[in-house]
Every structure is written in C-alpha cells, then in structure tokens.
C-alpha cells in the first residue's frame, strides 16, 4: 500500500485533494466525479455515448467489456463508426473467435475495408485467450475484438494488464450473466436492443465515474439498412399503425400486419442501394 493510500484509509476526513501537493492531488480520483485516463481515446461515433464515457470516447491501452445476452446482436452497429475512423487512419481490425463470419460488403459500406479486417478462427477457450494476448502484444494491430464467453476473472485481469501496453482499442465480448461478477475491466457495458425499430441500448455498469441509472439509447443503423428502413417500399415504413385505444396499455404489443411487397419494388430498391 502506498503512503497516500495508507493516509486515506487511516482517516478519510483528515485529507482532501485540496490539502495535498499538486502532483499528488492530480492522482486522486473521487468516485462522484468523472475519471480521466492518461491514454488516448477514440470517439465512438455516437455523441450520446461519448458524453458519458471518461475522456469522451473508447479508451486505448485498456480493456472494454461488452456484455450481451447473445453474440451478434448489435456489436457491429455499436463499434463500426470508431473502427471506420481507425481504418481511415491506416489501422486494422483483428477478430478473435467471432461467432459469425462478418459480412464484409456491409462493413466496407460503413468504412471498414475488407483488406483491413483479420479473422482468427479460435474455437477453444485456451486458444482464444492465447490469440488475444498475442494480438495485444503485437503493436501492428489497432483494434482487437475478442469473444470470450468462458473467460474467468483472473484471465480478464491478465488481459487488462496486456491491454495497458497495447496502443489501440481492445473489446472483449462476454455473456450478460457475468455482469454481477467482479472484473478488472475499467469500462463495462451491457448491450441490448430496444423495442421496434430496435435501437441500441447501452447500459453502463462500470466506468471511472458515477453510476448511470438509465441506458443510453442509440438509434444507429448501418447505411444500407437505414436506406431500407426509410424507403417507401419498406414494410416497416408502410405499416404506420394507428394510435392504440385509451383502454390498451401503451406497452401492449400489436400483432404484425402481413404485407406483400411486389418484386418490382424490391428489385428497384436493391438497384438503388447498389448504385
């Protein structure tokens, strides 16, 4: 235990940051204030999310945990803007144990070029951990995305130590059930989907700052899907439902109304998206 830690534990009321020398006061983080990290950050591309992240973006040289009930539900929508920014600067993206093959044309449309994406097909838990650790030790990789459903607390602690020497971003995807377990990750998010039209809901469960009671709602869609959603030929656009009667709760679900879209409309829409 350092001298400063000992003094704070000995008598919390006797010492305040204002009473410390400037070089020590700068190292004290008070829980009710937003913490600051010495490393660089990369803007997430979501203004509402950057506003609640320490230093205003995804932290470099650090582990960010993203918890999900099921892999493949929203992580690319969440991370694509930041990854595109890195790729535009000459960076690359390494995927370790991705549960599904990424659809490269869609990523390219978002700005993540296919030639900058590297995928390591690691099946076992030990293989994923080893590949992730080696990637963090290789300074040529800008962003590491690793799916670690079976990682234990001590393994996450080791990866956080490795991330401290990695100049880029590091995201670990883990199941939502570990939210109540301890973790060495300084930033932990629980990613879910909201009701139709399914915006991203980001629950900040750990950060260097005060707790957040409400999730951050991000109505972000990839470019191609956004065009489909806004198109008059889209079933979602055509099914403008009337207001619910006053006797029906606002949260009550309405059975979907089937609609047949002519092939000519779909072909025309696809042609416009490919143009």
């Amino acid at each position: 235990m350092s001298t400063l830690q000992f003094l704070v534990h000995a008598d919390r009321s006797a010492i305040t940051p204002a009473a410390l020398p400037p070089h020590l006061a700068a190292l004290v983080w008070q829980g009710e204030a937003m913490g600051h990290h010495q490393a660089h950050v990369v803007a997430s591309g979501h203004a509402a999310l950057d506003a609640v992240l320490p230093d205003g973006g995804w932290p470099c040289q650090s582990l960010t945990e993203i918890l999900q009930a099921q892999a493949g539900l929203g992580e690319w929508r969440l991370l694509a803007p930041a990854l595109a920014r890195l790729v535009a600067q000459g960076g690359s993206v390494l995927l370790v144990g991705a549960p599904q093959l990424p659809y490269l044309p869609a990523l390219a449309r978002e700005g993540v070029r296919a030639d900058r994406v590297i995928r390591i097909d690691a099946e076992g838990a030990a293989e994923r951990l080893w590949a992730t650790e080696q990637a963090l030790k290789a300074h040529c990789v800008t962003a590491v995305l690793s799916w670690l459903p079976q990682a234990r607390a001590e393994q996450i602690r080791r990866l956080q130590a490795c991330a401290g020497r990695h100049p880029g971003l590091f995201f670990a995807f883990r199941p939502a059930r570990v939210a109540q377990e301890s973790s060495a990750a300084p930033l932990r998010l629980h990613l879910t989907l909201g009701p139709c039209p399914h915006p991203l809901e980001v629950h900040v469960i750990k950060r260097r700052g005060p707790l957040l009671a409400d999730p951050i709602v991000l109505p972000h869609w990839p470019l191609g899907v956004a065009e489909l959603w806004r198109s008059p030929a889209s079933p979602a656009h055509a099914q403008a439902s009337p207001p619910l009667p006053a006797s029906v709760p606002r949260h009550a679900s309405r059975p979907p109304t089937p609609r047949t879209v002519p092939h000519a409309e779909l072909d025309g829409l696809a042609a416009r998206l490919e143009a």
Side-chain angles (χ1 to χ4, degrees):
M1 179 180 294
S2 68
T3 302
L4 177 58
Q5 289 175 318
F6 174 79
L7 291 174
V8 172
H9 281 281
D11 187 355
R12 293 179 181 271
S13 62
I15 295 180
T16 63
L20 295 172
H23 68 286
L24 291 179
L27 301 177
V28 177
W29 168 57
Q30 302 181 77
E32 68 273 10
M34 187 71 77
H36 296 282
H37 196 260
Q38 298 298 321
H40 296 292
V41 298
V42 177
S44 71
H46 311 283
L49 181 59
D50 287 339
V52 302
L53 294 178
D55 293 319
W58 298 122
C60 299
Q61 295 181 246
S62 183
L63 164 59
T64 297
E65 273 190 4
I66 299 179
L67 311 183
Q68 298 174 276
Q70 179 181 339
L73 296 180
E75 56 261 50
W76 287 110
R77 288 169 58 189
L78 178 67
L79 300 182
L83 298 180
R85 188 186 305 270
L86 290 177
V87 168
Q89 298 172 356
S92 56
V93 180
L94 177 63
L95 314 178
V96 180
Q100 294 95 20
L101 287 172
Y103 185 56
L104 296 179
L107 289 181
R109 187 183 293 118
E110 292 295 302
V112 184
R113 300 193 338 248
D115 61 328
R116 307 304 299 178
V117 178
I118 305 169
R119 180 174 181 266
I120 296 180
D121 189 10
E123 293 292 339
E127 292 179 350
R128 295 186 183 196
L129 290 168
W130 181 87
T132 301
E133 185 171 334
Q134 300 309 308
L136 294 174
K137 294 178 179 179
H139 289 243
C140 60
V141 175
T142 304
V144 178
L145 281 62
S146 185
W147 283 259
L148 302 170
Q150 299 171 320
R152 300 189 301 272
E154 64 272 16
Q155 295 167 334
I156 294 297
R157 189 180 306 112
R158 179 181 176 88
L159 291 178
Q160 163 62 11
C162 294
R165 300 187 293 271
H166 176 65
L169 300 174
F170 174 34
F171 299 95
F173 301 96
R174 305 183 67 199
R177 65 176 181 272
V178 305
Q180 302 303 320
E181 300 178 5
S182 63
S183 172
L187 179 61
R188 304 184 81 195
L189 310 176
H190 182 199
L191 180 61
T192 61
L193 297 181
C196 189
H198 307 302
L200 296 175
E201 293 187 351
V202 181
H203 306 255
V204 181
I205 59 178
K206 181 183 178 183
R207 63 171 181 170
R208 289 188 175 98
L211 296 177
L212 289 177
D214 299 320
I216 308 301
V217 180
L218 307 176
H220 174 77
W221 282 96
L223 295 178
V225 179
E227 291 295 330
L228 284 170
W229 192 262
R230 289 192 295 264
S231 170
S234 169
H237 186 277
Q239 293 173 15
S241 302
L244 291 173
S247 60
V248 180
R250 299 301 300 175
H251 58 78
S253 61
R254 181 190 305 275
T257 302
R259 176 180 181 268
T260 303
V261 181
H263 286 283
E265 293 185 40
L266 295 177
D267 292 342
L269 178 59
R272 291 197 300 273
L273 292 177
E274 292 296 331

